[in-house]
Amino acid sequence: MKHWRLLVLFALLVLFVPARLTHAQDETPVRIEVLAGFDGAGHYRIGHWFPTSLVVSNDGPDLQGTLEWRFANHDQALYRYRLDLPQGARKQVRLPVMTTGMTRAATVAFSVDGEALTSTRVSLVPLNESQITVGVLSRDRSMLNSLAAATFAPNTTTIVSHLDPTLLPDDPALLSGINIIFVHDFVTADLSPRQREALDLWIHLGGVLVVSGGAAASQSVPGLDDLLPVNVGELQAGVSAASLAALVQQATSVGELPNFSANRVTFRPGAQPLDRAGLLVSHHLGVGQVIFAAFDLASTRMWSGEAELWQAVITLQPQMPIAASFRWRNESLLANTLQLPGLQFPSTGILLLLMGFYIVIIGPLNFLVLRKLGRIDLAWFTTPGLIVLFLIASYGISLLIRGTAPTVPQLALVQSFEGHQQGKATVFLGVFSPQRQSYQLQVDAQALITPATFERFQANNVPVTRDDASAGMEDLLIDVSSLRTLMVEQMVDEVPDVVSKLQMERRRIYGELTVTDTDLRDAMIVHGESAQSLGDLRAGTQVAVDLMLDQGNFPFGFWQENSTMINRGQVLNNLFGSGNFMPFNAPVQNTSPGIVDDGIYLLGWQEASLLEVTLPGHTPQHQGETLYMIRLEHP
């Protein structure tokens, strides 16, 4: 009996111990926690960047590895982040990502030497351009959920997303997928300077910001005070809501909203009241809008007219989302407009001349010289020798044309505003290689690189690799005498300082402007489809503006050829031709050429590379041009 017990015990050990050992071996000391999208729950807009927060912890030995983000069922976008993970470390990585596909999941893995130690699946909620996204910054997760029933633009629906403060980005490109942001009881004084600048630029590019007053004003106002249309004063009790009810068309809404507390306000220049009592005050910053609600946004929670109220007072303007539009079209503006000598075929005259020399030298001239020398038998040696010399000469000519070092051309488009130091740059970047070779490309760590190259209206997938110091692509293969083009987005802190004094009449814009700190080439004033050429602007020189409207001369009236690296007229046509910015974030259908919003713009060029690019192991030639598009202030 004792032997049977021993045998049973031995059998149990054989069955369970290996299973326990295998389970222990499968366990990894690395853990990944993921928050993704605007709200941490995965909301993202197709074709636009969105933030993620990856927290990686290591309870085992020191590791050096790579975090990899891959979208499920869509192999376009692969992002890597190189990471040192010492024992006991817990690190947070902010990884901006985007995809042009509608996918509902992604996988995040941590790999060492190409082997995944652990991975986690992330659920995503894709939003398309027919959905207006309303972001709400509030501790109350039910705040303004009624806005899902609002219609802010024709043929659209509305999504309400409760933003996660830990994911609030510091780059306007990561906010471009959001149309409207409400700030309730969020402590805006905690915003970093970079987050504050990104929010400011997002508004100027077309976003709408609504800031709560009332009891929430002590939290929502301090960090955003200089953006507001009013000076915010003390609270007063028992304020009538009748002026808000008057904005709502529902007859039953009047009288449903009780009196509430509201801030006293004094208007700043340019402020416009949206209701009779001045409880809602707005002003425009660039293309966007800022609205201050003198009452606490929670006051309208139970009111049946809440959604219609905000639908009545918020106006969405057409925007110019350059990068998103060109991603959608799978097109590179640089490839369409670059005038690089190495990309040009030799002229027909040069080819005919070379062929003529070849025929004459190899044929009659070689024969006549040898006959005069009486050594026709040497033709067996001179003919192949001349052919070799001709091939060497042809190769040398090709080297002179295309060079021996890689060339990095850039076309940068910078959107900015009068009186603004920051701008949003979309850089079409290329690498031209005289030989077939793979390159490692690096740019600033704050840059957003679309994970693809664009050739022949097709996007070719290339992973983007980041670390704390840089972002780039590690294996960019380029064929002989070929160009691969990328797209990079980045905030820039230095844009031309413009001071203008313009007046606008029914059919005319006139006044003066000065670019105070830099020169601009081929400058022009543009409004809609009308433009006035200003020529080259010298720093500190005042120029007169006298633009007649309804000319219809922009952009197709500026298709001039020039000797610069970029065909500037073609850039304008590709940018501002009919409906080029549809369908992205334009609530009103626009199929006419010209600038889509109602602003007055100064357009001007500088012959310089905007983005610092390195190709480790190579010394490339850098060439670049930058087009500044500065929206001017006017009454």
Side-chain angles (χ1 to χ4, degrees):
M1 196 67 181
K2 185 176 181 180
H3 294 292
W4 280 105
R5 290 177 179 174
L6 291 174
L7 286 173
V8 171
L9 181 60
F10 179 75
L12 291 173
L13 288 173
V14 169
L15 288 172
F16 289 103
V17 172
R20 285 177 172 271
L21 289 174
T22 302
H23 180 67
Q25 290 172 354
D26 289 341
E27 288 183 351
T28 173
V30 180
R31 298 286 183 272
I32 305 175
E33 303 168 29
V34 182
L35 292 175
F38 310 128
D39 54 357
H43 279 94
Y44 76 96
R45 189 180 293 279
I46 298 170
H48 292 258
W49 293 96
F50 64 91
T52 71
S53 172
L54 314 178
V55 178
V56 191
S57 57
N58 178 23
D59 296 327
D62 295 354
L63 294 172
Q64 286 185 324
T66 304
L67 276 171
E68 293 188 351
W69 174 290
R70 188 187 298 271
F71 288 95
N73 304 322
H74 196 271
D75 62 353
Q76 176 193 354
L78 174 62
Y79 302 88
R80 300 185 179 123
Y81 200 102
R82 291 188 293 263
L83 193 65
D84 288 339
L85 207 60
Q87 183 177 14
R90 179 180 172 86
K91 292 189 175 182
Q92 182 184 39
V93 171
R94 297 293 185 92
L95 185 64
V97 298
M98 58 78 54
T99 177
T100 56
M102 180 175 286
T103 180
R104 297 186 178 276
T107 301
V108 182
F110 183 78
S111 301
V112 176
D113 297 329
E115 181 179 351
L117 297 186
T118 186
S119 65
T120 187
R121 186 176 175 84
V122 184
S123 296
L124 299 173
V125 183
L127 308 173
N128 58 42
E129 294 302 325
S130 65
Q131 294 175 297
I132 301 299
T133 305
V134 174
V136 180
L137 270 171
S138 174
R139 293 193 299 268
D140 186 347
R141 305 294 290 183
S142 64
M143 175 71 65
L144 297 170
N145 283 346
S146 67
L147 268 60
T151 303
F152 291 102
N155 303 316
T156 63
T157 57
T158 301
I159 298 293
V160 177
S161 180
H162 290 273
L163 306 182
D164 189 326
T166 63
L167 290 170
L168 198 64
D170 58 3
D171 191 310
L174 291 166
L175 289 168
S176 67
I178 305 175
N179 302 97
I180 306 164
I181 294 178
F182 285 81
V183 179
H184 179 229
D185 53 5
F186 173 71
V187 182
T188 57
D190 291 342
L191 290 171
S192 70
R194 202 67 177 172
Q195 287 175 316
R196 171 64 179 67
E197 291 167 1
L199 187 62
D200 187 0
L201 192 51
W202 170 78
I203 297 167
H204 277 78
L205 290 168
V208 176
L209 178 69
V210 182
V211 180
S212 176
S218 60
Q219 296 170 298
S220 62
V221 169
L224 302 174
D225 181 67
D226 62 330
L227 296 177
L228 300 181
V230 296
N231 295 311
V232 181
E234 73 280 2
L235 276 174
Q236 51 183 341
V239 176
S240 171
S243 64
L244 299 183
L247 297 174
V248 176
Q249 300 301 316
Q250 304 176 50
T252 57
S253 297
V254 179
E256 290 183 7
L257 189 60
N259 294 348
F260 45 52
S261 296
N263 296 97
R264 295 183 184 273
V265 298
T266 55
F267 291 5
R268 293 173 177 172
Q272 294 290 332
L274 301 177
D275 66 301
R276 294 192 304 266
L279 297 175
L280 292 171
V281 185
S282 167
H283 70 169
H284 289 277
L285 295 180
V287 187
Q289 182 185 20
V290 179
I291 299 174
F292 179 72
F295 53 92
D296 194 305
L297 294 179
S299 302
T300 62
R301 181 199 308 277
M302 304 304 295
W303 185 37
S304 61
E306 182 179 57
E308 192 176 344
L309 169 69
W310 295 113
Q311 181 180 306
V313 300
I314 290 177
T315 303
L316 296 176
Q317 296 291 334
Q319 302 176 23
M320 290 193 291
I322 296 172
S325 294
F326 278 91
R327 273 194 294 265
W328 174 63
R329 291 150 57 178
N330 286 332
E331 184 180 354
S332 170
L333 188 58
L334 178 67
N336 294 342
T337 59
L338 184 61
Q339 301 179 139
L340 199 64
L343 292 173
Q344 308 299 321
F345 289 109
S347 67
T348 304
I350 292 177
L351 291 175
L352 291 175
L353 187 62
L354 287 173
M355 291 174 63
F357 271 114
Y358 179 77
I359 293 170
V360 170
I361 292 173
I362 297 297
L365 187 60
N366 182 37
F367 174 76
L368 290 173
V369 171
L370 292 178
R371 189 176 68 173
K372 187 174 182 178
L373 295 174
R375 298 296 305 273
I376 296 296
D377 56 308
L378 293 179
W380 292 99
F381 303 99
T382 58
T383 299
L386 288 171
I387 292 174
V388 171
L389 288 175
F390 183 84
L391 291 173
I392 293 173
S394 299
Y395 181 73
I397 292 172
S398 71
L399 284 180
L400 289 176
I401 294 175
R402 69 174 188 256
T404 57
T407 303
V408 180
Q410 294 183 35
L411 169 58
L413 310 175
V414 178
Q415 297 166 271
S416 189
F417 303 85
E418 181 178 350
H420 229 62
Q421 293 183 337
Q422 287 78 33
K424 182 181 185 298
T426 303
V427 183
F428 296 90
L429 173 69
V431 180
F432 172 78
S433 177
Q435 294 92 25
R436 178 181 173 85
Q437 193 161 355
S438 288
Y439 296 91
Q440 180 184 356
L441 179 143
Q442 292 180 345
V443 295
D444 187 84
Q446 300 299 318
L448 302 174
I449 308 176
T450 298
T453 62
F454 300 90
E455 292 86 27
R456 300 181 182 90
F457 296 96
Q458 181 178 355
N460 300 294
N461 307 329
V462 181
V464 172
T465 301
R466 294 180 168 274
D467 56 27
D468 294 340
S470 66
M473 293 178 170
E474 292 189 325
D475 188 14
L476 192 62
L477 178 62
I478 305 177
D479 213 338
V480 178
S481 297
S482 294
L483 176 76
R484 296 197 75 173
T485 59
L486 320 172
M487 190 187 305
V488 182
E489 298 162 74
Q490 189 172 12
M491 279 185 68
V492 292
D493 293 327
E494 295 182 5
V495 298
D497 182 31
V498 181
V499 177
S500 70
K501 296 180 180 178
L502 301 180
Q503 298 293 323
M504 189 171 183
E505 295 179 347
R506 184 177 178 184
R507 297 181 56 85
R508 180 178 172 226
I509 296 171
Y510 63 95
E512 300 85 27
L513 69 81
T514 305
V515 182
T516 63
D517 58 349
T518 188
D519 297 344
L520 291 177
R521 305 287 301 276
D522 290 340
M524 62 181 68
I525 291 291
V526 182
H527 176 74
E529 298 178 54
S530 302
Q532 175 195 353
S533 176
L534 301 178
D536 295 342
L537 301 183
R538 298 295 180 185
T541 302
Q542 187 178 83
V543 295
V545 174
D546 193 358
L547 171 62
M548 300 304 298
L549 303 181
D550 301 325
Q551 296 184 69
N553 64 339
F554 181 81
F556 302 114
F558 293 87
W559 184 279
Q560 73 273 14
E561 295 289 339
N562 52 50
S563 58
T564 58
M565 182 195 79
I566 297 294
N567 186 324
R568 296 174 178 175
Q570 190 170 350
V571 168
L572 298 179
N573 288 327
N574 281 25
L575 268 177
F576 302 110
S578 302
N580 279 356
F581 293 116
M582 294 300 297
F584 291 95
N585 282 6
V588 180
Q589 294 290 321
N590 179 70
T591 57
S592 61
I595 292 182
V596 295
D597 66 70
D598 61 355
I600 302 171
Y601 283 80
L602 171 65
L603 272 57
W605 294 85
Q606 286 186 349
E607 296 179 7
S609 295
L610 184 75
L611 197 66
E612 185 176 344
V613 182
T614 58
L615 302 178
H618 301 273
T619 306
Q621 300 175 4
H622 293 275
Q623 299 182 32
E625 294 199 27
T626 300
L627 172 62
Y628 288 97
M629 299 177 287
I630 303 173
R631 196 176 196 270
L632 303 176
E633 298 288 343
H634 65 90

